[in-house]
């Protein structure tokens, strides 16, 4: 086979392999790398989309169940319903224990009708529910309902057993087969006075198809085939799918079990992503999640999308890429034959002539003129043969010329030496003017090194110590950095790793400064380093900037977390007075229609108290939000005066509780915002008074001690103490160890924020309940306090 044929064949094969490899790589990616190809990227994007939607659906269902639980708690804790229920159940049980007699008694009593009317009023406020009823927990007799036909009847025995087996306060029960052929969720709350022998069930019914299905709508985000399916723990559908499963009529779709892998995994409480067939028998990509209810019940969430829709566009792209690759192969083959014709012919002629010249025929020439690089090569080859012939003729003349050249070389060597001296002078000037320090470990065996003037200036050495040892320099390195320095040097010497590290070096003033070291070793023929040189750069300012940036980032993350907790707590704790106001506004309207002014005044009084509670809560929240943004000008604050003023302000409460307050005589003077520090001291002393419990000899001690650059101020008491599990929790917003105690739970959070703005911290120590507690906070002194005073308006 000729060279031309071999080149054409090789080029065609190479082009074919390259094009096929490129096409396969673009489609399926590169194995064992992060390149997934268009196929993998499409699948990954589909998985990400489904996972995101599945997590969103789970969060929505979880939040929706939390709202149902809050509604049940709010309705059951309504004063009127609670009082009516307690009175009527006592009357009912006293009348008889026979079920038939109880049924008749309930239907005959007007109080039960009043309870039903209150439930109807609640149903108008909570329109998302289908029905609300109250049943006596032991007998299951319905004593009040929004459906008058249910009053006096009994709950289904199977349902009553399920309710009795659940031991939580609020729980959920799925009623998958309802009279209207739709799945319902029963929100049940057990309530009644503490220790009551006749608790009650509040049962609120929600139609999942009407209420929950709109909540799970995702629009066009999952494409044409996307769908969200809900199942119970038995893999039975809770919401009607877009198509009825095969073999089922639409009215009976809730009676059937969905035998698909995603539904089974979700029903079993698993979470993940899987490719499988759905209830239609179609291949889908599905993300499944699970939400636990009460007992063994759960809701499985399946978010799916047809695989044909996910990878349909990719199939078209693969086909188009294949056609383009085929066209490229044809073009490459044609180009290969063309290139072979242009290159192979001249190369064959050049090979033939080279063989003749090697055989001694110096008259042989290529002769042919070819454009481009091959033409240059053939011309060069012919010229080379001509030179070979002339070499023999010119040998004697070259000897004479060589003598003249040696004379010229001597002159040139002198010129180079002059240039070298000039170069050394320029190097000396560059070293003196360079901002970086230079070092040269020129004798590693005897540990001798040379240091530039800038080097000695940066580390604070006398200028005369420009010749020294690296071991002396190592003794000035910070103890925590010495291991890193030796490791970097050994890595460069033994493994030829780049020598580039940063460490702290002590200057004659005792200050440690950060320096960056870079260098390179000179090795002999055996690879052993004989010399090492490099530069030194002062990076102290950059290091300080990096540390300040890290501190600011940590502070920002902490404030973001605090903002999230603040938002959640505000929305949670403001809901209770709002529900009270909303409920009693409805009662006022009803009383006005019935002409009952006495009840109107009582309802308005409850509304006023709820509004007053909300006002106090908002005032304290506003005060908390201001901490860290506007602080008075820091001054010197004697802690002894601060403690005495606090005791004077709380004198009435101290006298009422007969508390003995001891103030240490050696309290120091601190630097800060006097008004804010007064709030901290007042909150801690007032908290100690409030939680004295049944202590017969209540005592509070205010003391302080110095620890390093901090003043530790402590307020100790011999009161109720704080359990270890709550010693961190009590500093959160609205956290109260005793819910019955007065206050909003903001005081300790307010004090903690004030102390943090002053650069300190607040904590509590207690051996446990009944062992008393010590609340302590720290404040900076000296240089740290001076930094606080230079902070301007202390915007946080």
């Amino acid at each position: 086979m000729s060279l031309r044929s071999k080149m054409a064949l090789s080029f065609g094969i190479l082009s074919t392999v390259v094009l096929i490899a490129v096409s396969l790589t673009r489609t399926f990616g590169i194995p064992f790398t992060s390149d997934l190809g268009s196929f993998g990227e499409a699948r990954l994007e589909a998985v990400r989309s489904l996972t995101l939607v599945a997590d969103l659906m789970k969060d929505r269902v979880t939040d929706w169940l939390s709202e149902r639980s809050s509604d049940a708690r709010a309705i059951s804790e309504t004063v009127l319903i609670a009082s009516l229920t307690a009175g009527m159940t006592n009357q009912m049980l006293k009348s008889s224990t026979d079920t038939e007699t109880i049924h008749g008694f309930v239907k005959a009593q007007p109080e039960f009708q009043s309870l039903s009317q209150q439930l109807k009023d609640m149903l108008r406020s909570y329109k998302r529910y289908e029905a609300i009823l109250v049943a006596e927990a032991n007998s299951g007799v319905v004593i009040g309902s929004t459906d008058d036909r249910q009053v006096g009847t009994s709950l289904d025995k199977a349902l009553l057993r399920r309710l009795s087996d659940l031991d939580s306060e609020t729980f959920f029960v799925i009623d998958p087969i309802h009279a209207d052929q739709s799945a319902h969720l029963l929100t049940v709350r057990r309530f009644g006075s503490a220790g009551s022998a006749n608790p009650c069930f509040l049962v609120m019914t929600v139609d999942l198809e009407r209420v929950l299905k709109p909540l799970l709508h995702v629009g066009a985000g999952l494409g044409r085939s996307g769908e969200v399916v809900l199942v119970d723990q038995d893999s039975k559908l809770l919401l009607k799918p877009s198509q009825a499963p095969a073999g089922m009529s639409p009215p009976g779709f809730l009676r059937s079990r969905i035998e698909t892998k995603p539904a089974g995994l979700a029903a079993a409480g698993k979470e993940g992503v899987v490719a499988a067939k759905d209830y239609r028998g179609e291949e889908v990509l599905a993300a499944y999640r699970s939400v636990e209810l009460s007992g063994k019940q759960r809701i499985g969430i399946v978010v799916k999308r047809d695989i044909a829709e996910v990878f349909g566009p990719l199939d078209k792209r693969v086909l188009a890429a294949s056609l383009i690759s085929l066209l490229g192969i044809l073009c490459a083959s044609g180009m290969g034959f063309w290139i072979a014709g242009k290159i192979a012919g001249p190369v064959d002629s050049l090979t033939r002539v080279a063989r003749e010249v090697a055989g001694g025929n110096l008259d042989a020439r290529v002769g042919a003129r070819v454009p481009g690089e091959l033409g240059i090569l053939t011309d060069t080859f012919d010229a080379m043969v001509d030179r070979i012939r002339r070499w023999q003729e010119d040998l004697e003349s070259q000897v004479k010329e060589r003598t003249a050249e040696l004379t010229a070389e001597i002159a040139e060597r002198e010129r180079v030496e002059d240039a070298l001296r000039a170069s050394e002078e320029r190097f000396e000037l560059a070293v003196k003017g360079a901002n970086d320090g230079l070092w040269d470990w020129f004798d590693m065996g005897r540990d001798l090194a040379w240091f530039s003037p800038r080097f000695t200036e940066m580390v604070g050495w006398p200028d005369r110590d420009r010749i020294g040892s690296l071991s002396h320099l190592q003794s000035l390195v910070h103890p925590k950095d010495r291991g890193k320095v030796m490791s970097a040097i050994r890595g460069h010497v033994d493994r030829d790793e780049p020598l580039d590290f940063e460490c702290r070096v002590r200057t004659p003033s005792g200050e440690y400064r950060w320096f960056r070291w870079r260098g390179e070793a000179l090795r002999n023929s055996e690879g052993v380093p004989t010399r090492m040189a490099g530069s030194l750069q002062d990076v102290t300012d950059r290091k300080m900037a990096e540390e300040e940036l890290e501190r600011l980032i940590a502070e920002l993350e902490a404030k973001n977390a605090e903002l999230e907790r603040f938002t959640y707590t505000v929305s949670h704790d403001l809901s209770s007075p709002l529900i009270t106001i909303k409920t009693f506004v409805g009662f006022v309207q009803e009383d006005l229609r019935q002409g009952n002014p006495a009840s109107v005044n009582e309802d308005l009084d409850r509304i006023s108290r709820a509004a007053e509670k909300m006002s106090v809560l908002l005032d304290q929240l506003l005060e908390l939000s201001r901490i860290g943004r506007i602080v008075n000008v820091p001054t010197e604050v004697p802690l002894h005066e601060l403690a005495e003023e606090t005791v004077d302000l709380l004198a009435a409460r101290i006298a009422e509780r007969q508390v003995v307050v001891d103030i240490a005589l050696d309290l120091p003077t601190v630097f800060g915002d006097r008004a804010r520090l007064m709030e901290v001291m007042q909150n801690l002393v007032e908290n100690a008074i409030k939680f004295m419990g049944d202590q017969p000899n209540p005592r509070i001690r205010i003391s302080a001690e110095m620890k390093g650059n901090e003043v530790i101020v402590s307020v100790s008491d011999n009161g109720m103490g704080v359990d270890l599990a709550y010693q961190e929790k009590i500093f959160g917003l609205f956290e109260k160890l005793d819910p019955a105690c007065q206050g909003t739970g903001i005081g300790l959070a307010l004090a903690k924020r004030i102390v943090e703005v002053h650069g300190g911290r607040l904590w509590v120590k207690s051996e446990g309940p009944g062992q008393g507690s010590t609340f302590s906070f720290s404040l900076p002194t000296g240089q740290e306090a001076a930094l606080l005073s230079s902070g301007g308006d202390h915007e946080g």
Side-chain angles (χ1 to χ4, degrees):
M1 183 180 292
S2 65
L3 178 62
R4 179 174 182 175
S5 300
K6 291 180 180 179
M7 289 184 64
L9 180 61
S10 301
F11 190 82
I13 294 174
L14 178 61
S15 302
T16 302
V17 171
V18 170
L19 289 172
I20 292 175
V22 170
S23 178
L24 292 176
T25 300
R26 291 187 60 187
T27 304
F28 300 104
I30 303 175
F32 310 109
T33 68
S34 60
D35 187 357
L36 302 178
S38 55
F39 187 88
E41 291 292 344
R43 181 181 180 87
L44 182 60
E45 181 60 29
V47 169
R48 288 174 180 167
S49 177
L50 288 173
T51 301
L52 179 63
V53 174
D55 290 338
L56 177 62
M57 296 299 105
K58 179 177 179 180
D59 292 341
R60 287 183 179 179
V61 172
T62 302
D63 293 342
W64 184 80
L65 291 173
S66 179
E67 291 177 2
R68 305 289 75 76
S69 178
S70 298
D71 290 347
R73 182 181 62 184
I75 293 175
S76 63
E77 291 178 356
T78 302
V79 176
L80 188 54
I81 290 181
S83 60
L84 285 173
T85 304
M88 289 186 289
T89 50
N90 287 329
Q91 295 179 27
M92 182 180 69
L93 293 177
K94 289 179 180 178
S95 63
S96 174
T97 58
D98 179 64
T99 305
E100 295 296 331
T101 305
I102 292 176
H103 290 176
F105 176 78
V106 170
K107 293 180 179 179
Q109 295 300 315
E111 289 84 352
F112 295 95
Q113 299 174 5
S114 176
L115 176 60
S116 296
Q117 183 59 44
Q118 293 299 323
L119 294 177
K120 292 175 183 178
D121 293 338
M122 288 296 178
L123 187 60
R124 285 194 293 271
S125 299
Y126 298 86
K127 296 181 180 180
R128 61 181 60 88
Y129 299 102
E130 298 292 314
I132 305 176
L133 64 84
V134 176
E136 199 276 323
N138 296 321
S139 64
V141 175
V142 179
I143 62 176
S145 174
T146 55
D147 186 355
D148 294 333
R149 295 172 297 179
Q150 291 182 324
V151 178
T153 64
S154 295
L155 295 177
D156 180 75
K157 292 183 179 179
L159 176 61
L160 184 59
R161 284 197 300 271
R162 291 173 66 185
L163 299 182
S164 300
D165 291 341
L166 298 173
D167 56 359
S168 59
E169 189 177 65
T170 303
F171 42 88
F172 302 95
V173 178
I174 296 178
D175 185 8
I177 307 303
H178 203 262
D180 58 359
Q181 299 299 331
S182 61
H184 285 67
L185 180 73
L186 305 182
T187 303
V188 183
R189 180 178 174 84
R190 181 186 286 109
F191 70 101
S193 58
S196 174
N198 53 329
C200 294
F201 289 130
L202 173 68
V203 183
M204 303 187 299
T205 305
V206 177
D207 187 339
L208 295 178
E209 184 73 24
R210 181 178 68 87
V211 176
L212 191 55
K213 190 168 186 177
L215 186 66
L216 302 180
H217 179 65
V218 296
L222 293 179
R224 173 181 50 80
S225 63
E227 183 181 8
V228 180
V229 178
L230 254 63
V231 297
D232 63 7
Q233 69 277 358
D234 297 322
S235 297
K236 294 182 179 180
L237 285 169
L238 297 179
L239 299 178
K240 184 176 180 181
S242 58
Q243 300 180 29
M248 294 184 236
S249 58
F253 73 94
L254 288 174
R255 301 180 184 275
S256 301
R257 178 186 177 93
I258 301 299
E259 299 293 344
T260 63
K261 187 174 182 179
L265 291 171
K270 308 293 185 181
E271 296 189 352
V273 180
V274 68
K277 290 184 178 181
D278 68 350
Y279 60 85
R280 303 168 299 162
E282 297 289 338
E283 290 290 338
V284 298
L285 191 63
Y288 49 92
R289 297 292 186 270
S290 178
V291 178
E292 297 293 332
L293 296 179
S294 304
K296 298 181 179 180
Q297 295 189 107
R298 64 175 61 88
I299 293 178
I301 304 171
V302 180
V303 181
K304 63 186 182 68
R305 190 180 180 190
D306 289 356
I307 288 182
E309 181 182 12
V310 175
F311 300 114
L314 182 61
D315 293 338
K316 296 179 180 179
R317 289 168 55 189
V318 172
L319 178 60
S322 300
L323 293 176
I324 293 173
S325 298
L326 179 59
L327 180 61
I329 291 170
L330 295 176
C331 294
S333 299
M335 185 176 295
F337 279 99
W338 181 81
I339 292 175
K342 293 292 184 181
I343 298 176
V347 171
D348 286 338
S349 299
L350 183 61
T351 303
R352 177 181 53 80
V353 172
R355 288 173 180 171
E356 292 182 7
V357 171
N361 184 12
L362 297 180
D363 294 328
R365 299 289 187 276
V366 177
R369 292 292 180 266
V370 181
E373 286 79 6
L374 275 177
I376 297 174
L377 179 61
T378 56
D379 294 340
T380 303
F381 183 82
D382 289 343
M384 181 185 66
V385 175
D386 292 335
R387 285 199 301 272
I388 292 174
R389 294 191 63 179
R390 289 195 299 268
W391 281 349
Q392 187 176 4
E393 301 172 353
D394 298 335
L395 183 58
E396 293 180 359
S397 62
Q398 288 179 5
V399 171
K400 296 178 181 180
E401 292 175 358
R402 182 57 181 164
T403 302
E405 289 176 357
L406 289 175
T407 303
E409 286 179 5
I410 294 173
E412 178 65 17
R413 182 174 298 176
E414 292 176 352
R415 186 189 64 80
V416 169
E417 290 176 352
D418 292 340
L420 179 60
R421 284 192 294 271
S423 177
E424 290 177 347
E425 292 174 358
R426 285 193 297 271
F427 174 76
E428 184 68 19
L429 292 175
V431 168
K432 292 180 179 179
N435 190 43
D436 291 353
L438 302 180
W439 54 273
D440 181 8
W441 196 6
F442 60 89
D443 192 340
M444 299 178 65
R446 293 188 297 169
D447 191 21
L448 295 178
W450 170 86
F451 306 100
S452 70
R454 176 58 180 160
F455 184 103
T456 59
E457 177 185 348
M458 285 192 295
V459 299
W461 286 2
D463 189 63
R464 63 178 181 273
D465 293 338
R466 294 178 60 182
I467 300 295
S469 64
L470 285 185
S471 59
H472 171 62
L473 182 61
Q474 183 183 357
S475 66
L476 302 179
V477 175
H478 195 282
K480 294 184 177 179
D481 296 341
R482 290 174 184 171
K484 177 175 65 175
V485 172
M486 293 305 300
S487 176
I489 295 176
R490 282 195 299 269
H492 182 66
V493 171
D494 299 338
R495 298 180 296 276
D496 203 22
E497 296 176 354
L499 184 63
D500 190 344
F501 63 90
E502 294 177 353
C503 69
R504 289 163 288 183
V505 177
R506 187 179 73 248
T507 62
S509 64
E511 174 192 10
Y512 279 98
R513 297 188 64 81
W514 281 95
F515 293 96
R516 180 182 181 184
W517 295 76
R518 287 176 289 184
E520 185 72 22
L522 179 65
R523 302 174 184 269
N524 59 20
S525 59
E526 297 177 354
V528 178
T530 58
R531 187 172 188 170
M532 188 182 300
S535 63
L536 180 77
Q537 183 182 10
D538 191 337
V539 294
T540 304
D541 293 340
R542 175 174 62 79
K543 276 290 186 178
M544 294 179 63
E546 290 174 355
E547 293 174 358
E548 178 64 14
L549 179 59
E550 293 177 358
R551 185 190 65 78
L552 292 176
I553 291 174
E555 182 178 348
L556 179 59
E557 291 175 349
K559 289 186 177 180
N560 285 338
E562 182 180 353
L563 180 59
E564 290 178 3
R565 295 193 299 271
F566 180 88
T567 303
Y568 171 80
T569 309
V570 168
S571 62
H572 180 273
D573 283 71
L574 287 180
S575 62
S576 179
L578 285 175
I579 291 175
T580 302
I581 293 173
K582 181 179 179 181
T583 301
F584 280 93
V585 166
F587 291 167
V588 170
Q589 293 173 345
E590 183 64 26
D591 293 336
L592 290 175
R593 285 196 299 270
Q594 296 178 0
N596 189 354
S599 296
V600 170
N601 291 333
E602 182 180 349
D603 294 341
L604 289 176
D605 182 62
R606 292 180 180 272
I607 292 173
S608 177
R609 290 198 299 271
E612 180 64 22
K613 179 180 178 181
M614 186 183 298
S615 176
V616 172
L617 191 61
L618 289 174
D619 287 343
Q620 293 192 355
L621 287 174
L622 180 60
E623 177 69 8
L624 180 62
S625 68
R626 290 172 176 169
I627 300 301
R629 292 189 293 109
I630 300 176
V631 179
N632 298 324
V633 177
T635 60
E636 291 187 349
V637 182
L639 285 178
H640 197 276
E641 293 181 10
L642 203 67
E644 290 181 344
E645 289 180 19
T646 300
V647 173
D648 290 341
L649 286 173
L650 301 175
R653 297 198 62 181
I654 292 173
E656 177 185 357
R657 191 65 181 82
Q658 296 182 351
V659 180
V660 176
V661 181
D662 295 331
I663 301 176
L665 298 178
D666 58 347
L667 296 182
T669 296
V670 297
F671 196 83
D673 184 342
R674 183 184 182 92
R676 294 301 191 194
L677 294 178
M678 173 65 77
E679 290 181 49
V680 175
M681 186 71 74
Q682 183 175 346
N683 269 313
L684 296 183
V685 175
E686 192 172 15
N687 186 74
I689 297 172
K690 187 186 304 182
F691 293 97
M692 274 298 176
D694 298 327
Q695 174 60 245
N697 299 307
R699 180 178 294 276
I700 298 174
R701 175 169 176 78
I702 303 173
S703 60
E705 61 176 329
M706 294 292 298
K707 283 190 176 181
N709 293 328
E710 289 183 329
V711 175
I712 308 298
V713 184
S714 301
V715 178
S716 305
D717 63 72
N718 59 348
M720 296 170 57
V722 182
D723 190 277
L724 183 63
Y726 297 99
Q727 290 184 10
E728 289 291 335
K729 185 178 180 182
I730 60 174
F731 295 103
L733 284 174
F734 306 104
E735 296 291 350
K736 298 167 62 178
L737 291 180
D738 184 5
C741 185
Q742 294 181 354
T744 59
I746 298 180
L748 289 179
L750 186 68
K752 183 174 182 292
R753 184 62 181 139
I754 293 173
V755 171
E756 290 176 347
V757 168
H758 280 76
R761 62 192 191 282
L762 175 62
W763 68 94
V764 63
K765 289 185 179 179
S766 176
E767 297 298 327
Q771 301 298 317
S773 57
T774 299
F775 285 82
S776 303
F777 64 91
S778 65
L779 294 173
T781 61
Q783 183 178 2
E784 288 76 10
L787 290 175
L788 177 64
S789 68
S790 63
D793 59 359
H794 300 275
E795 293 185 358

